Amino acid sequence: MKKLFVLLMALSMLAQINAQEKKIFRISTDNTDLILQVAPNGRLYQSYLGDKLLNEQDINNFSYAVKGGSDGSVSTRGWEVYPGSGAEDYFEPAVAITHYDGNPSTIFRYVSAEQKEVKGGTETVINLKDDQYPVEVILHYIAYPKENVIKTWSEIKHSEKKPINLWRYASTMLYFSNTNYYLTEFSSDWAKEARMSTQPLMFGKKVIDTKLGSRAAMHAHPFFELGLDQPVQEQQGRVMLGTLGWTGNFQFTFEVDNVGNLRVIPAINPYASYYELKANEIFSTPEFIFTFSNNGTGEASRNLHAWARNYQLKDGQGDRLTLLNNWENTYFNFNEELLGELMKEAKHLGVDMFLLDDGWFGNKHPRNDDHAGLGDWEVMKSKLPGGIPALVKSAKEAGVRFGIWIEPEMVNPRSDLFEKHPDWAIHLPNRETYYYRNQLVLDLSNPKVQDFVFGVVDNILTENPEVAFFKWDCNSPITNVYSPYLKDKQGQLYINHVRGIYNVLNRIKDKYPNVPMMLCSGGGARCDYEALKYFTEFWCSDNTDPVERIFIQWGFSQIFPSKAMCAHVTSWNKNTSVKFRTDVASMCKLGFDLGLKELNADELAYCQNAVANWKRLKSVILDGDQYRLVSPYDGNHMAIMYTAPDASKAVLYTYDIHPRFGEKLFPVRLQGLDAKKMYKVKEINLMPNKNSNLAVNEKTYSGDYLMKVGINAFTTNQTHSRVIELTAE
Ligand code: DGJ
């Protein structure tokens, strides 16, 4: 036995040495292998992307040439990892460069590679260089074995005599060879976020992109699902989930070529972004993050959720604050006294924080509606004579934390800021200005503007170190696209603007590492994993109608953990009960945005109890494994559950949306439990004086039974919900 082990080890080492000589790079998670190989022509090709191989020596078996030529032959044109424009590949390139002398071709050849341990995984770095021009690309891949996630990005630099122009700059390129490909995309608009739809990918290209600049994901979100051979399903089938960490214009290209292979190209959208790169400047692409599963999107989402909490999301392992927001309750109409009352209400409700929304600033141009004041971040004295210090004090007296809304990247033309610095706003010098929500976007490519935006947060926190939270909003796309700062380099605007935002966010993170922030963009128009390095959570949608929210939260949950998704109980769709609205918000990071005076005594008592339950169970809801059990897209019900990693506790949410009269109801079969453990089933979040009519309530069942037989939790009631706690005995 021992001899066999030694022999196997020796074979594996030999295979590794062989692979090094052959220049084969294996990027591996516990379940996936991405194998790249240098061909005799010195170029780097993808030889395999699929299930992890068991035997090390098998990685030597691949060919680097393209597979499946129509005449059965193998062509010399390969699956090049980072193909440049102007060579023999006639499909979409990863990179396109016009060199200083006007030559539009680039061919990268292998130079060197290294692998190193990084937090959570292994990073593979591969250097490639053009042999005709001093241009390099450095490919980065971090494989996170446990979570089965790979994150990849590229860096481009050169030392040509003059600047070069980049007109394509993909983060990476991935190739697939399957019988069929199905794309699930997430379209969006204000109050219509994360709408999922699926289509087959046929010959040619499908592009998902955005040109909005700042409120960049308003019409399409920067993520997708790919069903390989069949459309994606929740619990079966081979799927890939991918997402780009870029808070600006992005572009996903899916191209099926002449032999039926698919290439997936995630990138910054090159639209209007002919990028002039100076010698020795490094052009870093955004990170593309992807995962695979052979068991459908449910498992793939759990991979991303765990990865995000462990490595990417700001304070991913930390706690989150429940809150009472005043936006929908008061809009712009409040004063110090009213806010003091609301802080007491927040305490009475049992939440951790009061969050003051829009309308607290501007004096010469008071922010009493959305026409004026953006840019003038001093407290409006007529409304709030004691300033922020008085609000922090009142919150303290009420026994809650205090958070505040800002929209620091924007300016109303009716503001001191615009009067003083009209050149700080992105707008065309020679055309009539078009206003989106009566505002303009500040030019974050300008370092002076970056200082100003940093100052918005810095000044508040310097004066009020006890401010506990920021809601950072962004309500306008870039309009009238022209940067007074960049002058004849307008091709840099969309990209440098986003980089300017990251500069500011980095400075904030460095100086105030522990201040949580919510990312908001007129609802959920900013939702990406680069921004979430700086934000603890994001606002999914202004649409808080619970029926709509069931779909919106289902959509975002494909990519993001519940911990990152803010959901508030509001007065949208008052035809539904306060319980239904609260149970829907309780699936994510819970908050409220309504006046408690709207609630009768039972409703208030219900909410207080629901907040207490949520806080008691938040380690399961926010940090547990999520199982999406019944999709709202499939019928009139929805069910989702969270399970603690040790399966000792679980929380099940079931919703009847608009069931048909007398429709057949199916039991909800649970997942993620320990089959051998016994679980006590208890319906919680009940209205005062209401008993549960769940047949299994307060009874004990094995995990096996609950997963195979399930619970009859659905009803034919309209907009009806249940929250069920399961505790292992
Ligand atoms: C848009 C956000 O989505 C809302 O929650 C609110 O903060 C408003 N902006 C304030 O103007």
Side-chain angles (χ1 to χ4, degrees):
M1 194 64 191
K2 203 171 158 196
K3 275 187 188 156
L4 183 68
F5 178 73
V6 172
L7 184 70
L8 283 174
M9 285 298 287
L11 277 175
S12 159
M13 276 169 70
L14 263 178
Q16 280 180 33
I17 294 167
N18 197 3
Q20 276 164 22
E21 275 168 9
K22 281 183 149 178
K23 301 203 180 70
I24 298 175
F25 309 106
R26 183 175 190 186
I27 295 150
S28 294
T29 70
D30 284 353
N31 297 316
T32 302
D33 263 326
L34 170 61
I35 299 178
L36 313 178
Q37 182 173 2
V38 180
N41 63 9
R43 291 158 68 174
L44 184 70
Y45 296 90
Q46 174 186 312
S47 22
Y48 178 75
L49 174 57
D51 282 339
K52 180 151 179 164
L53 301 170
L54 288 180
N55 305 307
E56 186 75 35
Q57 62 269 31
D58 288 341
I59 70 167
N60 293 305
N61 294 337
F62 292 101
S63 133
Y64 37 77
V66 73
K67 291 145 198 100
S70 48
D71 57 356
S73 68
V74 173
S75 135
T76 49
R77 183 170 58 79
W79 281 359
E80 195 161 9
V81 172
Y82 209 67
S85 56
E88 77 282 5
D89 184 286
Y90 297 110
F91 296 89
E92 225 17 71
V95 61
I97 298 174
T98 302
H99 297 278
Y100 80 99
D101 59 0
N103 187 315
S105 69
T106 300
I107 296 179
F108 286 119
R109 291 176 206 277
Y110 173 79
V111 177
S112 63
E114 60 162 331
Q115 283 195 319
K116 55 187 181 205
E117 296 312 302
V118 294
K119 193 177 172 225
T122 304
E123 180 171 4
T124 304
V125 183
I126 305 175
N127 291 60
L128 308 175
K129 199 168 180 177
D130 192 331
D131 56 6
Q132 297 302 317
Y133 289 92
V135 181
E136 285 170 59
V137 62
I138 304 154
L139 309 174
H140 296 261
Y141 300 85
I142 302 182
Y144 298 87
K146 211 162 44 76
E147 295 82 7
N148 192 29
V149 165
I150 298 176
K151 164 161 121 170
T152 173
W153 71 100
S154 305
E155 292 171 301
I156 305 163
K157 62 178 183 183
H158 74 97
S159 52
E160 294 193 18
K161 293 178 193 145
K162 289 191 208 149
I164 62 174
N165 278 299
L166 301 179
W167 40 284
R168 287 283 186 286
Y169 20 70
S171 294
T172 194
M173 173 100 85
L174 296 174
Y175 300 85
F176 298 85
S177 182
N178 292 75
T179 51
N180 292 294
Y181 313 98
Y182 293 88
L183 175 70
T184 299
E185 60 181 328
F186 296 78
S187 66
S188 179
D189 204 342
W190 179 78
K192 294 200 275 189
E193 286 85 347
R195 294 201 164 179
M196 298 171 68
S197 60
T198 299
Q199 59 189 277
L201 294 172
M202 311 301 278
F203 172 77
K205 272 187 277 189
K206 157 81 186 175
V207 173
I208 303 173
D209 74 354
T210 156
K211 304 182 180 73
L212 292 149
S214 44
R215 189 175 167 167
M218 182 161 63
H219 298 148
H221 297 310
F223 40 85
F224 63 86
E225 297 179 340
L226 192 61
L228 297 166
D229 300 316
Q230 58 182 21
V232 299
Q233 292 180 64
E234 189 64 32
Q235 290 173 39
Q236 52 180 286
R238 180 141 184 88
V239 302
M240 174 200 180
L241 268 54
T243 177
L244 193 74
W246 184 244
T247 318
N249 296 346
F250 64 85
Q251 185 184 68
F252 294 127
T253 306
F254 304 87
E255 186 169 29
V256 178
D257 68 12
N258 55 325
V259 292
N261 292 330
L262 169 71
R263 59 181 66 188
V264 174
I265 314 169
I268 295 177
N269 191 348
Y271 167 77
S273 297
Y274 199 69
Y275 196 93
E276 189 183 287
L277 188 70
K278 293 196 208 83
N280 301 320
E281 182 186 337
I282 296 177
F283 184 98
S284 283
T285 72
E287 297 171 352
F288 177 63
I289 298 127
F290 63 98
T291 185
F292 285 93
S293 168
N294 288 325
N295 304 308
T297 46
E299 183 177 271
S301 296
R302 284 190 292 282
N303 291 345
L304 288 179
H305 298 168
W307 166 82
R309 285 190 304 253
N310 289 340
Y311 311 113
Q312 191 90 353
L313 175 65
K314 181 168 160 67
D315 204 13
Q317 303 286 333
D319 199 1
R320 294 292 183 271
L321 298 167
T322 51
L323 59 86
L324 178 69
N325 189 195
N326 70 311
W327 173 242
E328 304 219 344
N329 182 11
T330 66
Y331 292 105
F332 296 94
N333 308 317
F334 55 81
N335 57 30
E336 217 165 77
E337 201 189 333
L338 178 62
L339 296 184
E341 288 305 309
L342 297 183
M343 290 169 190
K344 288 183 200 145
E345 286 191 0
K347 179 68 184 172
H348 192 49
L349 186 58
V351 296
D352 304 306
M353 178 172 61
F354 173 75
L355 172 62
L356 172 60
D357 215 284
D358 196 354
W360 58 266
F361 49 90
N363 284 302
K364 185 170 154 206
H365 302 279
R367 178 80 173 167
N368 286 321
D369 56 41
D370 61 16
H371 286 79
L374 276 181
D376 299 349
W377 298 102
E378 75 278 351
V379 167
M380 196 191 299
K381 295 203 186 78
S382 54
K383 263 186 193 169
L384 304 169
I388 298 176
L391 298 174
V392 173
K393 188 163 168 272
S394 303
K396 225 174 175 177
E397 281 164 9
V400 289
R401 318 283 297 274
F402 177 75
I404 195 161
W405 177 98
I406 51 175
E407 192 179 1
E409 298 159 66
M410 303 284 160
V411 63
N412 284 125
R414 277 167 56 192
S415 65
D416 288 342
L417 183 70
F418 190 75
E419 282 165 14
K420 220 158 126 199
H421 297 290
D423 56 323
W424 282 11
I426 295 174
H427 66 296
L428 288 156
N430 55 354
R431 292 185 195 279
E432 198 186 331
T433 306
Y434 162 70
Y435 297 101
Y436 192 102
R437 210 196 189 206
N438 316 301
Q439 63 197 57
L440 294 172
V441 180
L442 289 175
D443 183 1
L444 269 293
S445 70
N446 181 343
K448 284 202 181 120
V449 177
Q450 292 173 23
D451 289 344
F452 170 81
V453 175
F454 170 72
V456 175
V457 173
D458 194 33
N459 293 341
I460 293 175
L461 284 175
T462 304
E463 187 195 32
N464 309 282
E466 287 176 85
V467 165
F469 187 86
F470 285 88
K471 174 178 176 185
W472 179 306
D473 207 344
C474 162
N475 283 294
S476 176
I478 295 182
T479 52
N480 319 286
V481 189
Y482 179 87
S483 156
Y485 173 75
L486 290 169
K487 301 197 172 68
D488 63 344
K489 304 270 182 299
Q490 296 300 316
Q492 328 285 100
L493 173 56
Y494 280 125
I495 295 174
N496 286 358
H497 180 77
V498 177
R499 291 186 178 152
I501 296 168
Y502 295 149
N503 281 345
V504 173
L505 292 170
N506 261 316
R507 286 170 68 183
I508 294 171
K509 196 175 178 180
D510 283 351
K511 190 159 175 191
Y512 305 104
N514 301 320
V515 179
M517 299 204 287
M518 180 203 294
L519 177 63
C520 173
S521 184
R526 274 182 165 178
C527 47
D528 71 86
Y529 270 124
E530 187 63 26
L532 287 176
K533 286 180 178 169
Y534 307 99
F535 292 88
T536 45
E537 54 218 80
F538 71 95
W539 180 230
C540 302
S541 178
D542 281 349
N543 190 339
T544 44
D545 173 335
V547 171
E548 294 299 324
R549 268 288 177 144
I550 283 178
F551 288 86
I552 292 169
Q553 292 168 194
W554 183 273
F556 280 122
S557 79
Q558 308 291 314
I559 305 296
F560 302 106
S562 56
K563 187 170 227 173
M565 291 165 51
C566 302
H568 295 175
V569 181
T570 74
S571 303
W572 280 55
N573 197 350
K574 276 186 160 177
N575 293 327
T576 63
S577 66
V578 167
K579 169 174 164 57
F580 187 73
R581 284 180 258 158
T582 307
D583 289 352
V584 170
S586 297
M587 283 188 278
C588 297
K589 204 220 83 168
L590 179 64
F592 288 77
D593 191 358
L594 83 180
L596 297 200
K597 295 197 177 62
E598 275 184 36
L599 306 178
N600 65 34
D602 278 357
E603 288 170 337
L604 178 60
Y606 165 83
C607 288
Q608 288 167 321
N609 178 248
V611 170
N613 280 336
W614 190 90
K615 286 183 163 181
R616 185 171 59 77
L617 295 168
K618 67 182 170 182
S619 66
V620 182
I621 301 164
L622 300 183
D623 296 309
D625 294 325
Q626 182 193 66
Y627 293 87
R628 293 184 298 256
L629 305 173
V630 177
S631 169
Y633 283 90
D634 289 344
N636 305 322
H637 307 271
M638 191 274 227
I640 202 164
M641 70 183 284
Y642 298 96
T643 310
D646 64 358
S648 60
K649 184 70 104 183
V651 187
L652 167 68
Y653 297 87
T654 67
Y655 305 92
D656 306 305
I657 306 172
H658 292 304
R660 303 288 302 275
F661 172 79
E663 77 168 48
K664 182 165 166 55
L665 298 171
F666 293 92
V668 179
R669 287 207 292 264
L670 309 196
Q671 291 180 42
L673 300 177
D674 182 337
K676 296 205 180 80
K677 283 193 172 123
M678 299 302 290
Y679 291 88
K680 173 99 182 269
V681 177
K682 186 171 167 50
E683 183 170 2
I684 58 170
N685 281 20
L686 292 162
M687 288 298 286
N689 311 317
K690 277 261 163 65
N691 293 326
S692 169
N693 60 3
L694 188 69
V696 296
N697 195 39
E698 303 279 2
K699 295 190 181 138
T700 300
Y701 298 88
S702 72
D704 187 51
Y705 178 90
L706 293 166
M707 292 192 288
K708 288 180 179 158
V709 181
I711 296 181
N712 286 309
F714 288 141
T715 74
T716 49
N717 297 330
Q718 302 293 306
T719 57
H720 172 265
S721 56
R722 292 186 199 275
V723 183
I724 297 166
E725 182 177 348
L726 296 117
T727 311
E729 296 195 324

